[in-house]
């Protein structure tokens, strides 16, 4: 049905908003099905860069699964980097990094049932690290930190390696802080 609607849009004038809605729903459907190749082909077929940008951004804001968010963040960064505001650029790059870190750490360490617990933090990698630390998932943190260190090399995303190190130091200090004094044994 999407293909038929797209053909109709080429033959007859369709309002811009309806065209955006059609392509957005088609893109979301393809990403939900996991077909990123057809999703990329759809985005490449759209001639108007403004419509393509609107579709990509609106789709990204739908809080899709990790792979779809990663795909859209990568696409927006690669094709519309200069068209985005600095704040939106940082948000999308953080989402990309977070989804990449999440994706890799999920594949290497997170049990499949735990993925849903951390997905909502994929656009905020520092908060995800903090949540993992508070949940005592130190092994998962180690993998995520390693990935983030590699990804942050030469990137401007609103946080730095020093921010990660500061967060880790804060929680390491808390782990060594004993809130009570040891009592002496009396004879």
């Amino acid at each position: 049905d999407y293909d038929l609607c797209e053909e109709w849009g080429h033959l007859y004038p369709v309002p811009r908003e309806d065209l955006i809605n059609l392509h957005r729903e088609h893109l979301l459907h393809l990403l939900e099905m996991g077909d990123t190749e057809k999703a990329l082909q759809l985005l490449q077929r759209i001639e108007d860069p403004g419509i393509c940008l609107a579709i990509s951004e609106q789709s990204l804001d739908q809080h899709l699964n990790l792979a779809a968010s990663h795909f859209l963040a990568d696409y927006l960064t690669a094709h519309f980097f200069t068209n985005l505001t600095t704040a939106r650029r940082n948000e999308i790059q953080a989402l990309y990094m977070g989804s990449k870190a999440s994706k890799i750490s999920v594949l290497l360490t997170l049990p499949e049932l735990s993925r849903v617990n951390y997905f909502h933090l994929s656009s905020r990698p520092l908060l995800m690290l903090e949540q993992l630390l508070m949940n005592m998932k130190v092994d998962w943190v180690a993998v995520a930190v390693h990935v983030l260190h590699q990804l942050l090399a030469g990137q401007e995303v609103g946080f730095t390696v020093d921010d990660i190190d500061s967060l880790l130091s804060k929680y390491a200090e808390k782990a060594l802080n004993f809130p009570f004094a040891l009592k002496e044994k009396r004879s």
Side-chain angles (χ1 to χ4, degrees):
D1 291 345
Y2 291 117
D3 293 331
L4 179 62
C5 290
E6 190 175 335
E7 285 180 39
W8 185 268
H10 289 296
L11 298 174
Y12 299 98
V14 176
R16 179 181 166 88
E17 281 305 308
D18 291 341
L19 201 55
I20 289 172
N21 290 337
L22 166 69
H23 287 306
R24 184 187 67 238
E25 291 303 317
H26 190 188
L27 180 63
L28 291 172
H29 172 73
L30 291 171
L31 292 174
E32 202 173 276
M33 302 300 290
D35 197 343
T36 55
E37 188 172 321
K38 283 189 180 176
L40 182 60
Q41 290 171 0
L42 169 67
L43 291 170
Q44 290 172 340
R45 278 195 313 266
I46 299 169
E47 296 170 2
D48 184 343
I51 290 177
C52 192
L53 174 61
I55 292 164
S56 302
E57 279 196 287
Q58 288 176 16
S59 297
L60 184 64
D61 293 338
Q62 294 292 315
H63 302 292
L64 306 166
N65 63 43
L66 200 55
S69 296
H70 185 77
F71 169 81
L72 287 168
D74 186 38
Y75 183 81
L76 281 164
T77 303
H79 294 88
F80 297 106
F81 191 79
T82 57
N83 300 55
L84 303 167
T85 65
T86 304
R88 183 68 168 160
R89 201 177 307 148
N90 287 343
E91 179 186 333
I92 290 172
Q93 283 186 323
L95 174 66
Y96 177 79
M97 294 241 183
S99 66
K100 182 125 176 147
S102 297
K103 197 173 182 180
I104 292 171
S105 64
V106 166
L107 291 175
L108 295 178
T109 60
L110 290 181
E112 191 158 337
L113 296 175
S114 297
R115 294 177 190 179
V116 71
N117 297 333
Y118 299 98
F119 176 73
H120 66 286
L121 299 173
S122 62
S123 66
R124 302 175 67 194
L126 286 178
L127 193 55
M128 184 189 319
L129 287 178
E130 189 166 7
Q131 186 70 48
L132 288 168
L133 286 167
M134 289 191 298
N135 291 338
M136 303 296 291
K137 307 296 184 192
V138 179
D139 293 340
W140 299 352
V141 170
V143 173
V145 166
H146 178 71
V147 169
L148 284 172
H149 276 265
Q150 290 176 338
L151 292 173
L152 282 172
Q155 296 284 329
E156 185 80 23
V157 295
F159 66 94
T160 64
V161 171
D162 291 337
D163 294 327
I164 295 171
D165 292 343
S166 174
L167 179 70
L168 294 174
S169 296
K170 175 181 157 186
Y171 278 89
E173 182 180 314
K174 286 184 180 197
L176 297 175
N177 187 10
F178 297 103
F180 56 90
L182 298 173
K183 295 182 180 180
E184 292 181 21
K185 292 185 180 179
R186 297 183 185 179
S187 55

